[in-house]
Amino acid sequence: MECEDWDGLSSDSELLEQDLKDEEEYNYTSNSSSKLQFRKVTSVARWNSRVRMAEVVERKGQLWTTTGIVRSGKLYCSIEETLFLMEIGALLLLRENDESISLETMYQQLAEEKDGCFWELYEVYRHLKSLGYIVGRHGIPWSMKSVKRNTGTVSSEGTSESLEVQSPQDCNSVIERLIKMDLNELKLVFDVYLPNGKFRKSSPGDPSYVVSLIRGQPPSKIEIEAIERQCGGIPLKFCLVEHGRVSFYSFGKVELPVLP
């Protein structure tokens, strides 16, 4: 078994204006380091209790190129994304009646484990994001455009640009996948990308790593082999959180010589 720490990475990132228009219709370009710090620019989101995610209603700053998923022309944040942005001062969260929601309230909500997340999983997300990595939920596309491009679907005009129309059921399918997840089951939880100033939600490419969180008993050899097959050749990292410390492990095969 090989244990390794992921060092913090920082790099200059530039927003691509074409990507912003193509995917999220943002109307700004800027430059900054990928290393996350406490933010003076604050976006606004409203917690949607029905879908159990935050719907962003006012976007500021360039964090949104690597945060949140786009569905039906709207930008949504999972609870781990919402908490992290609140912690660094980049997001003001409101209730549906526009009352502000405190960080302590969201911590309590996380502890209830009803939104497809729990404290250890959030610590993994926060650890990776603080190092500058791009992190998304495994199996949940950043944008439906990326799905359509992968399947080769085209519109009647012969392009994929006019396919940004989704039904309300699409957003509901994301929520169902999150809240019905067995939090104690060994499964793939995060897709992790290296810091990349040219990252686009509409064409993210393959992640650098896929993360599986170990919660409870260590996985058996059969479980490890089964989950490795789900990665499709992408490197797999197992993650363990103990007393607030986040550690990553990988397993390799060694051929033993045949003794005479």
Side-chain angles (χ1 to χ4, degrees), residues 157-193:
E157 291 81 13
T159 67
S160 61
E161 298 305 316
S162 60
L163 292 174
E164 188 64 17
V165 179
Q166 301 97 37
S167 65
Q169 287 75 18
D170 176 68
C171 186
N172 292 336
S173 66
V174 175
I175 306 309
E176 291 176 1
R177 187 176 302 180
L178 288 174
I179 65 178
K180 291 183 179 180
M181 181 177 66
D182 186 346
L183 301 182
N184 292 306
E185 178 185 354
L186 182 68
K187 63 188 309 177
L188 304 175
V189 291
F190 290 129
D191 291 333
V192 182
Y193 300 78

PDB file of all heavy atoms in Angstrom, residues 157-193:
ATOM      1  N   GLU A 157     -30.008  22.140 -36.504  1.00  0.00           N
ATOM      2  CA  GLU A 157     -29.153  23.023 -37.288  1.00  0.00           C
ATOM      3  C   GLU A 157     -27.765  22.437 -37.490  1.00  0.00           C
ATOM      4  O   GLU A 157     -26.923  23.050 -38.127  1.00  0.00           O
ATOM      5  CB  GLU A 157     -29.013  24.391 -36.594  1.00  0.00           C
ATOM      6  CG  GLU A 157     -30.272  25.228 -36.587  1.00  0.00           C
ATOM      7  CD  GLU A 157     -31.228  24.806 -35.497  1.00  0.00           C
ATOM      8  OE1 GLU A 157     -30.817  24.049 -34.604  1.00  0.00           O
ATOM      9  OE2 GLU A 157     -32.396  25.214 -35.539  1.00  0.00           O
ATOM     10  N   GLY A 158     -27.526  21.256 -36.912  1.00  0.00           N
ATOM     11  CA  GLY A 158     -26.257  20.599 -37.115  1.00  0.00           C
ATOM     12  C   GLY A 158     -25.193  20.985 -36.110  1.00  0.00           C
ATOM     13  O   GLY A 158     -24.021  20.680 -36.293  1.00  0.00           O
ATOM     14  N   THR A 159     -25.551  21.693 -35.057  1.00  0.00           N
ATOM     15  CA  THR A 159     -24.590  22.076 -34.032  1.00  0.00           C
ATOM     16  C   THR A 159     -25.095  21.632 -32.681  1.00  0.00           C
ATOM     17  O   THR A 159     -26.275  21.352 -32.494  1.00  0.00           O
ATOM     18  CB  THR A 159     -24.368  23.607 -34.011  1.00  0.00           C
ATOM     19  OG1 THR A 159     -25.570  24.236 -33.584  1.00  0.00           O
ATOM     20  CG2 THR A 159     -23.982  24.124 -35.388  1.00  0.00           C
ATOM     21  N   SER A 160     -24.164  21.609 -31.708  1.00  0.00           N
ATOM     22  CA  SER A 160     -24.536  21.231 -30.349  1.00  0.00           C
ATOM     23  C   SER A 160     -24.844  22.430 -29.484  1.00  0.00           C
ATOM     24  O   SER A 160     -25.234  22.279 -28.336  1.00  0.00           O
ATOM     25  CB  SER A 160     -23.386  20.426 -29.708  1.00  0.00           C
ATOM     26  OG  SER A 160     -22.220  21.221 -29.655  1.00  0.00           O
ATOM     27  N   GLU A 161     -24.656  23.637 -30.013  1.00  0.00           N
ATOM     28  CA  GLU A 161     -24.815  24.832 -29.192  1.00  0.00           C
ATOM     29  C   GLU A 161     -26.266  25.077 -28.819  1.00  0.00           C
ATOM     30  O   GLU A 161     -26.555  25.765 -27.862  1.00  0.00           O
ATOM     31  CB  GLU A 161     -24.252  26.052 -29.939  1.00  0.00           C
ATOM     32  CG  GLU A 161     -22.760  25.946 -30.222  1.00  0.00           C
ATOM     33  CD  GLU A 161     -21.959  25.702 -28.971  1.00  0.00           C
ATOM     34  OE1 GLU A 161     -22.238  26.355 -27.950  1.00  0.00           O
ATOM     35  OE2 GLU A 161     -21.066  24.855 -28.999  1.00  0.00           O
ATOM     36  N   SER A 162     -27.234  24.595 -29.615  1.00  0.00           N
ATOM     37  CA  SER A 162     -28.639  24.873 -29.348  1.00  0.00           C
ATOM     38  C   SER A 162     -29.292  23.804 -28.491  1.00  0.00           C
ATOM     39  O   SER A 162     -30.504  23.753 -28.382  1.00  0.00           O
ATOM     40  CB  SER A 162     -29.398  24.986 -30.676  1.00  0.00           C
ATOM     41  OG  SER A 162     -29.285  23.783 -31.406  1.00  0.00           O
ATOM     42  N   LEU A 163     -28.480  22.964 -27.856  1.00  0.00           N
ATOM     43  CA  LEU A 163     -29.028  21.852 -27.095  1.00  0.00           C
ATOM     44  C   LEU A 163     -29.105  22.138 -25.607  1.00  0.00           C
ATOM     45  O   LEU A 163     -29.266  21.224 -24.816  1.00  0.00           O
ATOM     46  CB  LEU A 163     -28.185  20.597 -27.339  1.00  0.00           C
ATOM     47  CG  LEU A 163     -28.272  20.031 -28.757  1.00  0.00           C
ATOM     48  CD1 LEU A 163     -27.298  18.886 -28.919  1.00  0.00           C
ATOM     49  CD2 LEU A 163     -29.679  19.574 -29.071  1.00  0.00           C
ATOM     50  N   GLU A 164     -28.950  23.397 -25.192  1.00  0.00           N
ATOM     51  CA  GLU A 164     -28.948  23.739 -23.776  1.00  0.00           C
ATOM     52  C   GLU A 164     -30.378  23.876 -23.263  1.00  0.00           C
ATOM     53  O   GLU A 164     -30.768  24.868 -22.677  1.00  0.00           O
ATOM     54  CB  GLU A 164     -28.147  25.034 -23.552  1.00  0.00           C
ATOM     55  CG  GLU A 164     -27.911  25.383 -22.098  1.00  0.00           C
ATOM     56  CD  GLU A 164     -27.070  24.369 -21.373  1.00  0.00           C
ATOM     57  OE1 GLU A 164     -26.401  23.569 -22.022  1.00  0.00           O
ATOM     58  OE2 GLU A 164     -27.081  24.389 -20.125  1.00  0.00           O
ATOM     59  N   VAL A 165     -31.194  22.888 -23.513  1.00  0.00           N
ATOM     60  CA  VAL A 165     -32.573  22.878 -23.030  1.00  0.00           C
ATOM     61  C   VAL A 165     -32.780  21.575 -22.280  1.00  0.00           C
ATOM     62  O   VAL A 165     -32.657  20.497 -22.852  1.00  0.00           O
ATOM     63  CB  VAL A 165     -33.582  22.991 -24.182  1.00  0.00           C
ATOM     64  CG1 VAL A 165     -34.994  22.940 -23.636  1.00  0.00           C
ATOM     65  CG2 VAL A 165     -33.345  24.276 -24.972  1.00  0.00           C
ATOM     66  N   GLN A 166     -33.044  21.660 -20.995  1.00  0.00           N
ATOM     67  CA  GLN A 166     -33.255  20.469 -20.189  1.00  0.00           C
ATOM     68  C   GLN A 166     -34.599  20.549 -19.498  1.00  0.00           C
ATOM     69  O   GLN A 166     -35.119  21.629 -19.266  1.00  0.00           O
ATOM     70  CB  GLN A 166     -32.151  20.298 -19.137  1.00  0.00           C
ATOM     71  CG  GLN A 166     -30.740  20.182 -19.683  1.00  0.00           C
ATOM     72  CD  GLN A 166     -30.012  21.496 -19.660  1.00  0.00           C
ATOM     73  OE1 GLN A 166     -30.177  22.273 -18.729  1.00  0.00           O
ATOM     74  NE2 GLN A 166     -29.223  21.766 -20.665  1.00  0.00           N
ATOM     75  N   SER A 167     -35.130  19.413 -19.170  1.00  0.00           N
ATOM     76  CA  SER A 167     -36.406  19.363 -18.457  1.00  0.00           C
ATOM     77  C   SER A 167     -36.155  19.467 -16.961  1.00  0.00           C
ATOM     78  O   SER A 167     -35.046  19.229 -16.486  1.00  0.00           O
ATOM     79  CB  SER A 167     -37.109  18.036 -18.770  1.00  0.00           C
ATOM     80  OG  SER A 167     -36.347  16.958 -18.261  1.00  0.00           O
ATOM     81  N   PRO A 168     -37.192  19.829 -16.183  1.00  0.00           N
ATOM     82  CA  PRO A 168     -37.027  19.881 -14.724  1.00  0.00           C
ATOM     83  C   PRO A 168     -36.608  18.532 -14.135  1.00  0.00           C
ATOM     84  O   PRO A 168     -35.991  18.477 -13.075  1.00  0.00           O
ATOM     85  CB  PRO A 168     -38.417  20.300 -14.240  1.00  0.00           C
ATOM     86  CG  PRO A 168     -39.027  21.001 -15.396  1.00  0.00           C
ATOM     87  CD  PRO A 168     -38.515  20.283 -16.621  1.00  0.00           C
ATOM     88  N   GLN A 169     -36.927  17.447 -14.827  1.00  0.00           N
ATOM     89  CA  GLN A 169     -36.562  16.132 -14.310  1.00  0.00           C
ATOM     90  C   GLN A 169     -35.056  15.952 -14.247  1.00  0.00           C
ATOM     91  O   GLN A 169     -34.546  15.158 -13.458  1.00  0.00           O
ATOM     92  CB  GLN A 169     -37.171  15.029 -15.191  1.00  0.00           C
ATOM     93  CG  GLN A 169     -38.684  14.859 -15.021  1.00  0.00           C
ATOM     94  CD  GLN A 169     -39.466  15.958 -15.697  1.00  0.00           C
ATOM     95  OE1 GLN A 169     -38.939  16.656 -16.554  1.00  0.00           O
ATOM     96  NE2 GLN A 169     -40.733  16.123 -15.327  1.00  0.00           N
ATOM     97  N   ASP A 170     -34.309  16.705 -15.075  1.00  0.00           N
ATOM     98  CA  ASP A 170     -32.859  16.562 -15.064  1.00  0.00           C
ATOM     99  C   ASP A 170     -32.272  16.991 -13.736  1.00  0.00           C
ATOM    100  O   ASP A 170     -31.429  16.318 -13.159  1.00  0.00           O
ATOM    101  CB  ASP A 170     -32.252  17.386 -16.193  1.00  0.00           C
ATOM    102  CG  ASP A 170     -30.739  17.352 -16.172  1.00  0.00           C
ATOM    103  OD1 ASP A 170     -30.184  16.276 -16.443  1.00  0.00           O
ATOM    104  OD2 ASP A 170     -30.119  18.386 -15.863  1.00  0.00           O
ATOM    105  N   CYS A 171     -32.727  18.138 -13.219  1.00  0.00           N
ATOM    106  CA  CYS A 171     -32.252  18.622 -11.920  1.00  0.00           C
ATOM    107  C   CYS A 171     -32.683  17.667 -10.817  1.00  0.00           C
ATOM    108  O   CYS A 171     -31.932  17.387  -9.892  1.00  0.00           O
ATOM    109  CB  CYS A 171     -32.774  20.022 -11.650  1.00  0.00           C
ATOM    110  SG  CYS A 171     -32.102  20.788 -10.163  1.00  0.00           S
ATOM    111  N   ASN A 172     -33.889  17.145 -10.914  1.00  0.00           N
ATOM    112  CA  ASN A 172     -34.380  16.215  -9.905  1.00  0.00           C
ATOM    113  C   ASN A 172     -33.551  14.944  -9.875  1.00  0.00           C
ATOM    114  O   ASN A 172     -33.328  14.356  -8.811  1.00  0.00           O
ATOM    115  CB  ASN A 172     -35.849  15.866 -10.170  1.00  0.00           C
ATOM    116  CG  ASN A 172     -36.773  17.047  -9.942  1.00  0.00           C
ATOM    117  OD1 ASN A 172     -36.442  17.959  -9.199  1.00  0.00           O
ATOM    118  ND2 ASN A 172     -37.914  17.039 -10.602  1.00  0.00           N
ATOM    119  N   SER A 173     -33.062  14.498 -11.032  1.00  0.00           N
ATOM    120  CA  SER A 173     -32.251  13.283 -11.056  1.00  0.00           C
ATOM    121  C   SER A 173     -30.938  13.472 -10.318  1.00  0.00           C
ATOM    122  O   SER A 173     -30.430  12.545  -9.693  1.00  0.00           O
ATOM    123  CB  SER A 173     -31.982  12.861 -12.505  1.00  0.00           C
ATOM    124  OG  SER A 173     -31.170  13.820 -13.170  1.00  0.00           O
ATOM    125  N   VAL A 174     -30.391  14.687 -10.393  1.00  0.00           N
ATOM    126  CA  VAL A 174     -29.169  14.982  -9.651  1.00  0.00           C
ATOM    127  C   VAL A 174     -29.427  14.899  -8.157  1.00  0.00           C
ATOM    128  O   VAL A 174     -28.653  14.311  -7.395  1.00  0.00           O
ATOM    129  CB  VAL A 174     -28.633  16.379 -10.028  1.00  0.00           C
ATOM    130  CG1 VAL A 174     -27.431  16.741  -9.162  1.00  0.00           C
ATOM    131  CG2 VAL A 174     -28.267  16.418 -11.495  1.00  0.00           C
ATOM    132  N   ILE A 175     -30.525  15.487  -7.726  1.00  0.00           N
ATOM    133  CA  ILE A 175     -30.847  15.486  -6.301  1.00  0.00           C
ATOM    134  C   ILE A 175     -31.078  14.076  -5.797  1.00  0.00           C
ATOM    135  O   ILE A 175     -30.603  13.699  -4.719  1.00  0.00           O
ATOM    136  CB  ILE A 175     -32.107  16.346  -6.050  1.00  0.00           C
ATOM    137  CG1 ILE A 175     -31.924  17.737  -6.640  1.00  0.00           C
ATOM    138  CG2 ILE A 175     -32.388  16.460  -4.570  1.00  0.00           C
ATOM    139  CD1 ILE A 175     -30.674  18.418  -6.251  1.00  0.00           C
ATOM    140  N   GLU A 176     -31.803  13.298  -6.548  1.00  0.00           N
ATOM    141  CA  GLU A 176     -32.072  11.926  -6.130  1.00  0.00           C
ATOM    142  C   GLU A 176     -30.782  11.142  -5.982  1.00  0.00           C
ATOM    143  O   GLU A 176     -30.618  10.345  -5.061  1.00  0.00           O
ATOM    144  CB  GLU A 176     -33.002  11.245  -7.138  1.00  0.00           C
ATOM    145  CG  GLU A 176     -34.420  11.805  -7.134  1.00  0.00           C
ATOM    146  CD  GLU A 176     -35.280  11.179  -8.201  1.00  0.00           C
ATOM    147  OE1 GLU A 176     -34.759  10.304  -8.930  1.00  0.00           O
ATOM    148  OE2 GLU A 176     -36.459  11.549  -8.316  1.00  0.00           O
ATOM    149  N   ARG A 177     -29.846  11.381  -6.891  1.00  0.00           N
ATOM    150  CA  ARG A 177     -28.570  10.674  -6.815  1.00  0.00           C
ATOM    151  C   ARG A 177     -27.788  11.073  -5.572  1.00  0.00           C
ATOM    152  O   ARG A 177     -27.081  10.266  -4.966  1.00  0.00           O
ATOM    153  CB  ARG A 177     -27.749  10.954  -8.068  1.00  0.00           C
ATOM    154  CG  ARG A 177     -26.479  10.133  -8.173  1.00  0.00           C
ATOM    155  CD  ARG A 177     -25.773  10.402  -9.471  1.00  0.00           C
ATOM    156  NE  ARG A 177     -26.611  10.110 -10.623  1.00  0.00           N
ATOM    157  CZ  ARG A 177     -26.217  10.258 -11.884  1.00  0.00           C
ATOM    158  NH1 ARG A 177     -24.999  10.701 -12.146  1.00  0.00           N
ATOM    159  NH2 ARG A 177     -27.032   9.964 -12.872  1.00  0.00           N
ATOM    160  N   LEU A 178     -27.912  12.338  -5.169  1.00  0.00           N
ATOM    161  CA  LEU A 178     -27.187  12.818  -3.996  1.00  0.00           C
ATOM    162  C   LEU A 178     -27.811  12.329  -2.693  1.00  0.00           C
ATOM    163  O   LEU A 178     -27.126  11.785  -1.820  1.00  0.00           O
ATOM    164  CB  LEU A 178     -27.136  14.343  -4.002  1.00  0.00           C
ATOM    165  CG  LEU A 178     -26.221  15.011  -5.027  1.00  0.00           C
ATOM    166  CD1 LEU A 178     -26.399  16.512  -4.981  1.00  0.00           C
ATOM    167  CD2 LEU A 178     -24.767  14.651  -4.792  1.00  0.00           C
ATOM    168  N   ILE A 179     -29.101  12.513  -2.546  1.00  0.00           N
ATOM    169  CA  ILE A 179     -29.721  12.257  -1.245  1.00  0.00           C
ATOM    170  C   ILE A 179     -29.993  10.780  -1.003  1.00  0.00           C
ATOM    171  O   ILE A 179     -30.158  10.366   0.140  1.00  0.00           O
ATOM    172  CB  ILE A 179     -31.019  13.068  -1.093  1.00  0.00           C
ATOM    173  CG1 ILE A 179     -32.074  12.620  -2.107  1.00  0.00           C
ATOM    174  CG2 ILE A 179     -30.755  14.543  -1.229  1.00  0.00           C
ATOM    175  CD1 ILE A 179     -33.389  13.356  -1.978  1.00  0.00           C
ATOM    176  N   LYS A 180     -30.041   9.975  -2.072  1.00  0.00           N
ATOM    177  CA  LYS A 180     -30.289   8.552  -1.902  1.00  0.00           C
ATOM    178  C   LYS A 180     -28.984   7.744  -1.807  1.00  0.00           C
ATOM    179  O   LYS A 180     -29.018   6.529  -1.734  1.00  0.00           O
ATOM    180  CB  LYS A 180     -31.138   8.020  -3.057  1.00  0.00           C
ATOM    181  CG  LYS A 180     -32.572   8.539  -3.044  1.00  0.00           C
ATOM    182  CD  LYS A 180     -33.391   7.937  -4.170  1.00  0.00           C
ATOM    183  CE  LYS A 180     -34.823   8.441  -4.119  1.00  0.00           C
ATOM    184  NZ  LYS A 180     -35.648   7.861  -5.217  1.00  0.00           N
ATOM    185  N   MET A 181     -27.852   8.449  -1.793  1.00  0.00           N
ATOM    186  CA  MET A 181     -26.579   7.766  -1.710  1.00  0.00           C
ATOM    187  C   MET A 181     -26.392   7.144  -0.333  1.00  0.00           C
ATOM    188  O   MET A 181     -26.644   7.767   0.691  1.00  0.00           O
ATOM    189  CB  MET A 181     -25.440   8.750  -1.982  1.00  0.00           C
ATOM    190  CG  MET A 181     -24.047   8.120  -1.937  1.00  0.00           C
ATOM    191  SD  MET A 181     -22.756   9.313  -2.354  1.00  0.00           S
ATOM    192  CE  MET A 181     -22.874  10.452  -0.981  1.00  0.00           C
ATOM    193  N   ASP A 182     -25.964   5.872  -0.319  1.00  0.00           N
ATOM    194  CA  ASP A 182     -25.636   5.208   0.929  1.00  0.00           C
ATOM    195  C   ASP A 182     -24.305   5.765   1.413  1.00  0.00           C
ATOM    196  O   ASP A 182     -23.252   5.502   0.834  1.00  0.00           O
ATOM    197  CB  ASP A 182     -25.533   3.693   0.714  1.00  0.00           C
ATOM    198  CG  ASP A 182     -25.324   2.935   2.018  1.00  0.00           C
ATOM    199  OD1 ASP A 182     -24.994   3.582   3.040  1.00  0.00           O
ATOM    200  OD2 ASP A 182     -25.467   1.700   2.027  1.00  0.00           O
ATOM    201  N   LEU A 183     -24.345   6.563   2.476  1.00  0.00           N
ATOM    202  CA  LEU A 183     -23.154   7.278   2.921  1.00  0.00           C
ATOM    203  C   LEU A 183     -22.089   6.354   3.502  1.00  0.00           C
ATOM    204  O   LEU A 183     -20.946   6.752   3.660  1.00  0.00           O
ATOM    205  CB  LEU A 183     -23.544   8.342   3.956  1.00  0.00           C
ATOM    206  CG  LEU A 183     -24.538   9.387   3.456  1.00  0.00           C
ATOM    207  CD1 LEU A 183     -24.819  10.411   4.536  1.00  0.00           C
ATOM    208  CD2 LEU A 183     -24.034  10.071   2.203  1.00  0.00           C
ATOM    209  N   ASN A 184     -22.442   5.130   3.842  1.00  0.00           N
ATOM    210  CA  ASN A 184     -21.461   4.193   4.383  1.00  0.00           C
ATOM    211  C   ASN A 184     -20.952   3.210   3.332  1.00  0.00           C
ATOM    212  O   ASN A 184     -20.084   2.403   3.597  1.00  0.00           O
ATOM    213  CB  ASN A 184     -22.081   3.414   5.550  1.00  0.00           C
ATOM    214  CG  ASN A 184     -22.342   4.306   6.748  1.00  0.00           C
ATOM    215  OD1 ASN A 184     -21.449   4.983   7.234  1.00  0.00           O
ATOM    216  ND2 ASN A 184     -23.579   4.342   7.207  1.00  0.00           N
ATOM    217  N   GLU A 185     -21.496   3.293   2.138  1.00  0.00           N
ATOM    218  CA  GLU A 185     -21.102   2.379   1.074  1.00  0.00           C
ATOM    219  C   GLU A 185     -19.819   2.856   0.422  1.00  0.00           C
ATOM    220  O   GLU A 185     -19.606   4.057   0.206  1.00  0.00           O
ATOM    221  CB  GLU A 185     -22.216   2.292   0.026  1.00  0.00           C
ATOM    222  CG  GLU A 185     -21.898   1.395  -1.147  1.00  0.00           C
ATOM    223  CD  GLU A 185     -22.978   1.442  -2.194  1.00  0.00           C
ATOM    224  OE1 GLU A 185     -24.019   2.086  -1.931  1.00  0.00           O
ATOM    225  OE2 GLU A 185     -22.790   0.845  -3.267  1.00  0.00           O
ATOM    226  N   LEU A 186     -18.918   1.916   0.106  1.00  0.00           N
ATOM    227  CA  LEU A 186     -17.688   2.265  -0.596  1.00  0.00           C
ATOM    228  C   LEU A 186     -18.028   2.564  -2.049  1.00  0.00           C
ATOM    229  O   LEU A 186     -18.502   1.697  -2.775  1.00  0.00           O
ATOM    230  CB  LEU A 186     -16.684   1.113  -0.514  1.00  0.00           C
ATOM    231  CG  LEU A 186     -15.320   1.380  -1.167  1.00  0.00           C
ATOM    232  CD1 LEU A 186     -14.554   2.444  -0.389  1.00  0.00           C
ATOM    233  CD2 LEU A 186     -14.512   0.096  -1.262  1.00  0.00           C
ATOM    234  N   LYS A 187     -17.799   3.808  -2.459  1.00  0.00           N
ATOM    235  CA  LYS A 187     -18.119   4.185  -3.819  1.00  0.00           C
ATOM    236  C   LYS A 187     -17.262   5.374  -4.222  1.00  0.00           C
ATOM    237  O   LYS A 187     -16.597   6.010  -3.386  1.00  0.00           O
ATOM    238  CB  LYS A 187     -19.602   4.506  -3.959  1.00  0.00           C
ATOM    239  CG  LYS A 187     -20.056   5.691  -3.144  1.00  0.00           C
ATOM    240  CD  LYS A 187     -21.565   5.836  -3.178  1.00  0.00           C
ATOM    241  CE  LYS A 187     -22.109   5.811  -4.571  1.00  0.00           C
ATOM    242  NZ  LYS A 187     -23.585   5.875  -4.614  1.00  0.00           N
ATOM    243  N   LEU A 188     -17.278   5.695  -5.488  1.00  0.00           N
ATOM    244  CA  LEU A 188     -16.545   6.839  -6.004  1.00  0.00           C
ATOM    245  C   LEU A 188     -17.312   8.109  -5.654  1.00  0.00           C
ATOM    246  O   LEU A 188     -18.506   8.199  -5.901  1.00  0.00           O
ATOM    247  CB  LEU A 188     -16.369   6.707  -7.513  1.00  0.00           C
ATOM    248  CG  LEU A 188     -15.679   5.419  -7.988  1.00  0.00           C
ATOM    249  CD1 LEU A 188     -15.671   5.350  -9.512  1.00  0.00           C
ATOM    250  CD2 LEU A 188     -14.265   5.327  -7.438  1.00  0.00           C
ATOM    251  N   VAL A 189     -16.615   9.081  -5.072  1.00  0.00           N
ATOM    252  CA  VAL A 189     -17.306  10.276  -4.588  1.00  0.00           C
ATOM    253  C   VAL A 189     -16.911  11.552  -5.327  1.00  0.00           C
ATOM    254  O   VAL A 189     -17.761  12.411  -5.578  1.00  0.00           O
ATOM    255  CB  VAL A 189     -17.088  10.459  -3.070  1.00  0.00           C
ATOM    256  CG1 VAL A 189     -17.806   9.368  -2.299  1.00  0.00           C
ATOM    257  CG2 VAL A 189     -15.603  10.481  -2.710  1.00  0.00           C
ATOM    258  N   PHE A 190     -15.647  11.724  -5.672  1.00  0.00           N
ATOM    259  CA  PHE A 190     -15.198  12.963  -6.300  1.00  0.00           C
ATOM    260  C   PHE A 190     -14.347  12.690  -7.524  1.00  0.00           C
ATOM    261  O   PHE A 190     -13.537  11.763  -7.543  1.00  0.00           O
ATOM    262  CB  PHE A 190     -14.376  13.819  -5.334  1.00  0.00           C
ATOM    263  CG  PHE A 190     -15.171  14.427  -4.208  1.00  0.00           C
ATOM    264  CD1 PHE A 190     -14.750  14.292  -2.898  1.00  0.00           C
ATOM    265  CD2 PHE A 190     -16.328  15.148  -4.458  1.00  0.00           C
ATOM    266  CE1 PHE A 190     -15.469  14.851  -1.853  1.00  0.00           C
ATOM    267  CE2 PHE A 190     -17.062  15.706  -3.418  1.00  0.00           C
ATOM    268  CZ  PHE A 190     -16.629  15.564  -2.120  1.00  0.00           C
ATOM    269  N   ASP A 191     -14.529  13.522  -8.544  1.00  0.00           N
ATOM    270  CA  ASP A 191     -13.603  13.607  -9.667  1.00  0.00           C
ATOM    271  C   ASP A 191     -12.692  14.792  -9.395  1.00  0.00           C
ATOM    272  O   ASP A 191     -13.166  15.897  -9.098  1.00  0.00           O
ATOM    273  CB  ASP A 191     -14.350  13.819 -10.984  1.00  0.00           C
ATOM    274  CG  ASP A 191     -15.162  12.591 -11.390  1.00  0.00           C
ATOM    275  OD1 ASP A 191     -14.786  11.478 -10.991  1.00  0.00           O
ATOM    276  OD2 ASP A 191     -16.163  12.762 -12.107  1.00  0.00           O
ATOM    277  N   VAL A 192     -11.379  14.576  -9.505  1.00  0.00           N
ATOM    278  CA  VAL A 192     -10.408  15.604  -9.138  1.00  0.00           C
ATOM    279  C   VAL A 192      -9.549  15.949 -10.352  1.00  0.00           C
ATOM    280  O   VAL A 192      -8.968  15.070 -10.988  1.00  0.00           O
ATOM    281  CB  VAL A 192      -9.514  15.137  -7.979  1.00  0.00           C
ATOM    282  CG1 VAL A 192      -8.534  16.242  -7.579  1.00  0.00           C
ATOM    283  CG2 VAL A 192     -10.360  14.721  -6.780  1.00  0.00           C
ATOM    284  N   TYR A 193      -9.482  17.245 -10.650  1.00  0.00           N
ATOM    285  CA  TYR A 193      -8.685  17.752 -11.768  1.00  0.00           C
ATOM    286  C   TYR A 193      -7.556  18.618 -11.225  1.00  0.00           C
ATOM    287  O   TYR A 193      -7.728  19.336 -10.232  1.00  0.00           O
ATOM    288  CB  TYR A 193      -9.539  18.605 -12.704  1.00  0.00           C
ATOM    289  CG  TYR A 193     -10.713  17.891 -13.333  1.00  0.00           C
ATOM    290  CD1 TYR A 193     -11.884  17.663 -12.605  1.00  0.00           C
ATOM    291  CD2 TYR A 193     -10.668  17.465 -14.654  1.00  0.00           C
ATOM    292  CE1 TYR A 193     -12.974  17.023 -13.172  1.00  0.00           C
ATOM    293  CE2 TYR A 193     -11.760  16.825 -15.232  1.00  0.00           C
ATOM    294  CZ  TYR A 193     -12.905  16.612 -14.490  1.00  0.00           C
ATOM    295  OH  TYR A 193     -13.980  15.972 -15.051  1.00  0.00           O
TER     296      TYR A 193
END
